[in-house]
Amino acid sequence: DTAVSQTPKYLVTQMGNDKSIKCEQNLGHDTMYWYKQDSKKFLKIMFSYNNKELIINETVPNRFSPKSPDKAHLNLHINSLELGDSAVYFCASSSRTSGGTNTGELFFGEGSRLTVL
Amino acid sequence: LAKTTQPISMDSYEGQEVNITCSHNNIATNDYITWYQQFPSQGPRFIIQGYKTKVTNEVASLFIPADRKSSTLSLPRVSLSDTAVYYCLVGDIYYEDSNYQLIWGAGTKLIIKP
């Protein structure tokens, strides 16, 4: 039973197109994220989102927009795709930390490899 | 937020103990140290977390000296399946947006040979 699942796993598209990646978590977490991992394996946070607040990494172009229909889903929509958008995009979730034994552990999906031609 | 420095890559052999050291000179009083493991074509996975001294779980041990400016992830008796990238992160886990603040480096690529 997959905890964080994202689709599609692979996406090949042309420059200028608009695409979406979907993410769902069944862990009951209140916070979800999108990360971008480039070819050098650096993971960069793009968005952090819970029911109340969207935190946007200011380096993310506004062509990228997260959309959350409900607490268990956070989709990533990308407009006017560019070559530099090619990367692996990871969705993750965690519980908002509130002390106690919560480690703030991030649970990641398997990633969506986007290739822009 | 504290940045971390790790070796880019390491090699070892099956059955050996592997120690990966991470430097975090600017670690703050409230920061915890967390390690993640990433296999090819998968998302990172939490391995272990600690604040000071030693933490051990079924997968690894984490050694943290008194000054907390570094930490060492120890993998006992590695196998080929431990080949992965290992990330060291520091952050205040009790800060509500701590995961957003985390800075992920390139990690340490560990290759285990037969």
Side-chain angles (χ1 to χ4, degrees):
Chain A
D1 194 18
T2 306
V4 180
S5 59
Q6 45 183 120
T7 56
K9 194 172 173 73
Y10 300 97
L11 186 55
V12 180
T13 188
Q14 300 286 333
M15 268 175 38
N17 284 349
D18 302 339
K19 290 293 177 186
S20 293
I21 306 172
K22 296 185 176 181
C23 179
E24 176 182 2
Q25 55 97 3
N26 62 6
L27 297 167
H29 287 158
D30 50 19
T31 306
M32 296 182 73
Y33 311 82
W34 278 106
Y35 288 82
K36 178 181 180 181
Q37 187 169 45
D38 61 26
S39 56
K40 294 183 180 178
K41 301 298 183 186
F42 286 94
L43 264 169
K44 287 189 177 178
I45 182 80
M46 300 176 71
F47 305 101
S48 168
Y49 185 78
N50 64 22
N51 284 338
K52 301 175 190 173
E53 188 179 16
L54 169 65
I55 303 177
I56 303 172
N57 184 328
E58 61 188 14
T59 67
V60 175
N62 57 16
R63 299 181 293 104
F64 290 78
S65 56
K67 298 186 192 302
S68 180
D70 56 57
K71 195 173 125 173
H73 296 83
L74 183 66
N75 304 325
L76 180 65
H77 190 74
I78 316 168
N79 289 327
S80 304
L81 278 156
E82 299 178 359
L83 293 176
D85 297 332
S86 295
V88 181
Y89 292 85
F90 287 99
C91 176
S93 71
S94 72
S95 288
R96 213 96 194 266
T97 57
S98 57
T101 58
N102 189 344
T103 63
E105 177 181 350
L106 285 159
F107 291 80
F108 285 85
E110 292 204 335
S112 297
R113 180 176 292 277
L114 171 65
T115 303
V116 182
L117 304 175
Chain B
L1 203 70
K3 289 186 70 174
T4 60
T5 302
Q6 311 172 227
I8 292 174
S9 65
M10 292 179 67
D11 291 353
S12 189
Y13 292 90
E14 283 191 291
Q16 299 293 307
E17 178 185 80
V18 171
N19 296 311
I20 306 175
T21 297
C22 178
S23 171
H24 28 80
N25 290 320
N26 296 323
I27 190 168
T29 303
N30 294 334
D31 284 346
Y32 280 67
I33 301 153
T34 308
W35 286 78
Y36 283 81
Q37 173 190 55
Q38 184 178 23
F39 295 118
S41 301
Q42 292 188 27
R45 183 181 70 145
F46 176 96
I47 303 177
I48 198 166
Q49 185 181 82
Y51 183 79
K52 62 180 178 181
T53 61
K54 178 183 173 183
V55 179
T56 297
N57 61 23
E58 64 278 5
V59 176
S61 294
L62 179 59
F63 298 91
I64 306 168
D67 67 4
R68 305 198 328 120
K69 292 184 183 299
S70 66
S71 58
T72 299
L73 175 73
S74 180
L75 305 171
R77 296 179 301 281
V78 293
S79 64
L80 295 176
S81 63
D82 291 314
T83 293
V85 178
Y86 292 82
Y87 296 93
C88 166
L89 300 150
V90 297
D92 180 359
I93 64 171
Y94 297 113
Y95 176 59
E96 278 200 339
D97 295 320
S98 61
N99 283 326
Y100 174 79
Q101 304 278 354
L102 290 176
I103 299 173
W104 293 71
T108 297
K109 185 172 183 178
L110 176 65
I111 297 174
I112 305 301
K113 302 176 182 177

